[in-house]
Amino acid sequence: QSVLTQPPSVSAAPGQKVTISCSGSSSNIGNNYVSWYQQLPGTAPKLLIYDNNKRPSGIPDRFSGSKSGTSATLGITGLQTGDEADYYCGTWDSSLSAVIFGGGTKLTVL
Amino acid sequence: EVQLVESGGGLVQPGRSLRLSCAASGFTFDDYAMHWVRQAPGKGLEWVSGISWNSGSAGYADSVKGRFTISRDNAKKSLYLQMNSLRAEDTALYFCAKDIGYEARNYFDSWGQGILVTVSS
């Protein structure tokens, strides 16, 4: 069981918007920055968001991140079938002195 | 183009050792911290270990602390993971990952394709 809690799955239609939540505690999200990764089937993860809301170069602005208290949210607008993937949140846990990830959320674009 | 290529995986018996390597190219290797992240079959991501640009600091997940050792050779542009006392629960795809900073910022902006480690008798 992961320290960070994500919904196992979310779904939405093409062109729509979806949000994925990531819930933690004061030892992790509450006092540290959050990142988000996309893992397409059979491939390595890809960094989408870091420092809560920054996008690496090449990541479209359809992807956004936010944080409030001990929770973080990934938003994806203008959904495309190519966005179907597993999405993971990650952060540092000050109590564990380790990087931790959420359990992952499978996005289905109907 | 950043390239990270893992090697050294395979089938190993419980209690035995294995050493993973990651060959880096396409960037200035000694400018960045590096990490190992693993993914058990059908499961999520688990950070294993990270090391700063000059090997001055390293960290480990509790699940591998005392059994695994991370190291790097900047002259060879290579990252290593020495895995001792392997257990069945160490079975996973092991990814080498590049940090965005020289000290661990703990954001992984480039990943290898992964190497499979299977621990079984």
Side-chain angles (χ1 to χ4, degrees):
Chain A
Q1 194 167 353
S2 303
V3 177
L4 302 179
T5 302
Q6 296 182 235
S9 63
V10 295
S11 61
Q16 297 301 303
K17 174 183 178 177
V18 71
T19 61
I20 298 173
S21 62
C22 177
S23 178
S25 67
S26 58
S27 68
N28 42 69
I29 292 178
N31 285 284
N32 294 288
Y33 289 105
V34 177
S35 57
W36 289 91
Y37 297 85
Q38 176 194 61
Q39 187 175 30
L40 298 169
T43 70
K46 178 182 182 180
L47 180 64
L48 292 178
I49 298 289
Y50 68 100
D51 281 355
N52 300 334
N53 55 19
K54 296 177 182 176
R55 283 176 286 106
S57 61
I59 301 301
D61 59 7
R62 299 190 300 110
F63 296 90
S64 64
S66 64
K67 189 184 100 166
S68 178
T70 59
S71 292
T73 301
L74 173 70
I76 311 173
T77 60
L79 277 171
Q80 304 170 1
T81 55
D83 295 331
E84 286 202 334
D86 293 323
Y87 291 83
Y88 295 91
C89 58
T91 188
W92 178 257
D93 190 292
S94 304
S95 296
L96 297 173
S97 292
V99 178
I100 57 172
F101 292 100
T105 298
K106 182 176 182 61
L107 168 63
T108 300
V109 181
L110 302 169
Chain B
E1 178 194 3
V2 173
Q3 278 205 311
L4 298 169
V5 180
E6 302 94 340
S7 60
L11 174 63
V12 62
Q13 293 179 329
R16 304 298 291 266
S17 298
L18 209 58
R19 189 196 196 205
L20 302 184
S21 299
C22 171
S25 62
F27 66 102
T28 305
F29 183 71
D30 51 8
D31 274 355
Y32 296 94
M34 297 293 295
H35 302 262
W36 290 98
V37 178
R38 69 185 181 184
Q39 187 168 33
K43 303 297 185 181
L45 303 175
E46 181 187 16
W47 176 78
V48 174
S49 180
I51 188 168
S52 63
W53 67 282
N54 63 351
S55 304
S57 62
Y60 300 89
D62 282 347
S63 58
V64 306
K65 203 171 291 184
R67 300 187 300 122
F68 290 12
T69 302
I70 192 172
S71 62
R72 64 190 294 162
D73 185 331
N74 287 345
K76 294 183 178 180
K77 299 182 181 180
S78 293
L79 177 72
Y80 306 101
L81 185 68
Q82 177 66 42
M83 304 185 294
N84 299 332
S85 303
L86 282 161
R87 306 167 180 167
E89 53 264 36
D90 295 318
T91 294
L93 189 63
Y94 284 73
F95 295 101
C96 167
K98 170 185 165 292
D99 199 292
I100 69 170
Y102 59 93
E103 296 291 345
R105 295 277 329 270
N106 301 315
Y107 302 131
F108 317 126
D109 65 349
S110 293
W111 299 63
Q113 81 286 354
I115 190 78
L116 185 62
V117 172
T118 303
V119 183
S120 175
S121 54

